[in-house]
Amino acid sequence: MKQAQAEQIATTLGDLATPCLVLDAERMERNIARLKGRLDGLGVMLRPHLKTSKSVEVARRVMTSPSGPATVSTLLEAEQFTAAGVRDIVYAVGIAPSKLPQVLALRARGADVTVVLDTVEQAQAVAKASRQAGTRIPALIEIDCDGHRSGVLPTDRQLLLDIGRTLEDGAELRGVITHAGDSYLARGAEALRQCAEVERRSVVDAATILRQAGLPCPVVSVGSTPTAHNAADLTGVTEVRAGVFVFFDLVMAGIGVCQVDDIALSVLATVIGHQRNKGWILVDAGWMALSQDRGTRRQAVDQGYGLVCDAAGVPYPDLIVADANQEHGIITVRPGSAGKLPDLGIGDRVRILPNHACATGAQHRAYHVVRGARDNVEAEWSRFGGW
């Protein structure tokens, strides 16, 4: 999609139908520059994860070049970004053998799509598909750095070598990859630095095992927004993957990776009612618009379904969407706080900051782009969903 096709006639926030997704491009650009500058200083490449935005227009602003590199979480994302000219793509979800024909089709269209795996069985399937197609599908071995989800333990030398040797029999062993998922549970700069170092050391150790056995390992990939912003040393790492840093969200603010004022994404909603005896304001954005992600519930400050701001994006003190139905959001003052319910009338607009930018974005088909507190909507950028 060309940029000119994505941009629509300028309007104002007040003209938009609600609920809808608002993107503050000024904050987004600042967030992107912050991480790029940090990684430049550490001497590593950024491979942005495009699962957060699922948007060609956003991707063009976060990638270091129009052809990538990029990370995706679905093959639909890979297809969309390949069509937009992205050529260097890591599909960072464990590969299912049934999806290898799609990978081969994308590679035939000129996209260098790399798959991820952590079992000999997957490696056998990738090697077999490569031999049958007459092309070497590149693969990264996933390393379990913190017990969060999946991957090979960096100490499991035999499994690493078995997978690597199986891949080399037809496919291409491109390196190792990990994700410090437990960093989302860490609090404070020192804890996050420790997560980043465990993440780094795990893949560097795994890479050393492969290389000492004579196997190739050109790529050593780490990635999470919390560790990307807190790593003190990335020696031995070739690239960093991160996604939500582009927008940030309330979970990231609760971890301490960003400030609330850095969050670039919000949901515009309209006041549709009051329950004054209950201290409620009702808006037309329920969990279908905000998502049901309640990630801040496990943090020191529970933000409900989102933090409520005025139409310019300025947060009201301690005002949250405390509950939500499918199409109704219930705004109240945070229990136990000194906040006061604002005087909002029927038809007034609010903006709600999300707990999880990826999950909230997935509820919408487009970003309505603004800059700072300006009311002008300068563009509409399409986004996509599905698998």
Side-chain angles (χ1 to χ4, degrees):
M1 181 186 296
K2 296 180 180 178
Q3 184 168 342
Q5 293 176 313
E7 295 183 355
Q8 305 296 320
I9 298 173
T11 182
T12 66
L13 288 175
D15 295 326
L16 296 174
T18 59
C20 66
L21 200 59
V22 175
L23 173 57
D24 185 335
E26 192 173 275
R27 292 185 180 187
M28 178 190 73
E29 290 163 3
R30 187 173 70 226
N31 295 339
I32 293 169
R34 175 186 167 194
L35 185 57
K36 283 184 174 179
R38 189 171 202 286
L39 297 183
D40 285 346
L42 289 168
V44 294
M45 178 181 75
L46 171 65
R47 180 182 289 276
H49 208 318
L50 305 181
K51 68 172 184 175
T52 298
S53 66
K54 295 185 188 285
S55 163
V56 171
E57 295 300 326
V58 176
R60 287 174 174 155
R61 288 156 175 82
V62 69
M63 291 188 303
T64 53
S65 82
S67 61
T71 312
V72 300
S73 61
T74 70
L75 287 177
L76 177 62
E77 291 168 35
E79 290 173 356
Q80 292 281 341
F81 293 122
T82 294
V86 181
R87 292 295 175 261
D88 181 358
I89 299 172
V90 169
Y91 171 43
V93 174
I95 187 65
S98 61
K99 293 181 180 180
L100 288 169
Q102 288 176 268
V103 172
L104 287 165
L106 287 165
R107 292 185 60 78
R109 289 165 55 189
D112 184 20
V113 179
T114 301
V115 301
V116 170
L117 47 79
D118 63 358
T119 66
V120 171
E121 290 82 1
Q122 288 168 303
Q124 290 170 337
V126 172
K128 179 180 178 180
S130 295
R131 290 192 298 269
Q132 291 176 340
T135 183
R136 297 175 74 88
I137 301 171
L140 298 168
I141 302 176
E142 184 172 7
I143 304 303
D144 178 4
C145 69
D146 58 13
H148 173 72
R149 188 167 56 200
S150 54
V152 180
L153 290 173
T155 55
D156 195 339
R157 183 178 185 277
Q158 191 58 54
L159 182 54
L160 278 168
L161 296 179
D162 287 347
I163 293 173
R165 287 167 179 153
T166 301
L167 283 171
E168 284 292 277
D169 183 22
E172 176 192 345
L173 172 58
R174 189 161 283 184
V176 290
I177 185 171
T178 195
H179 168 65
D182 263 13
S183 66
Y184 285 72
L185 303 177
R187 300 293 180 269
E190 181 55 34
L192 289 166
R193 278 193 293 272
Q194 290 177 8
C195 285
E197 176 55 20
V198 169
E199 180 183 52
R200 184 198 71 84
R201 190 171 62 249
S202 295
V203 283
V204 170
D205 288 351
T208 299
I209 290 172
L210 293 170
R211 290 167 181 158
Q212 287 178 344
L215 290 168
C217 190
V219 174
V220 180
S221 181
V222 302
S224 79
T225 289
T227 55
H229 280 285
N230 287 275
D233 176 18
L234 289 174
T235 301
V237 170
T238 63
E239 65 180 33
V240 170
R241 307 174 328 279
V244 77
F245 77 94
V246 175
F247 300 150
F248 284 128
D249 53 30
L250 292 169
V251 166
M252 290 294 110
I255 292 171
V257 180
C258 70
Q259 302 298 315
V260 167
D261 288 346
D262 294 321
I263 300 173
L265 206 63
S266 61
V267 173
L268 184 69
T270 302
V271 175
I272 58 172
H274 299 87
Q275 289 288 341
R276 300 186 191 282
N277 60 322
K278 298 179 180 178
W280 291 0
I281 296 173
L282 304 179
V283 293
D284 62 353
W287 50 256
M288 284 291 286
L290 301 172
S291 90
Q292 294 196 62
D293 194 296
R294 291 289 315 282
T296 59
R297 179 167 46 192
R298 298 186 297 272
Q299 296 183 333
V301 178
D302 184 351
Q303 304 284 17
Y305 286 83
L307 186 63
V308 183
C309 307
D310 64 19
V314 179
Y316 291 105
D318 290 307
L319 195 67
I320 61 173
V321 179
D323 202 355
N325 303 123
Q326 184 166 333
E327 303 295 350
H328 292 75
I330 300 173
I331 293 175
T332 65
V333 172
R334 190 191 316 279
S337 75
K340 295 182 179 180
L341 206 65
D343 185 16
L344 293 171
I346 300 296
D348 284 345
R349 299 293 181 92
V350 295
R351 285 163 66 177
I352 302 163
L353 303 180
N355 281 313
H356 185 175
C358 305
T360 296
Q363 313 303 306
H364 300 266
R365 295 181 179 179
Y367 301 99
H368 301 277
V369 183
V370 299
R371 287 191 176 272
R374 300 186 191 93
D375 188 49
N376 182 60
V377 178
E378 64 182 44
E380 181 181 306
W381 296 342
S382 62
R383 56 166 289 128
F384 54 87
W387 292 265

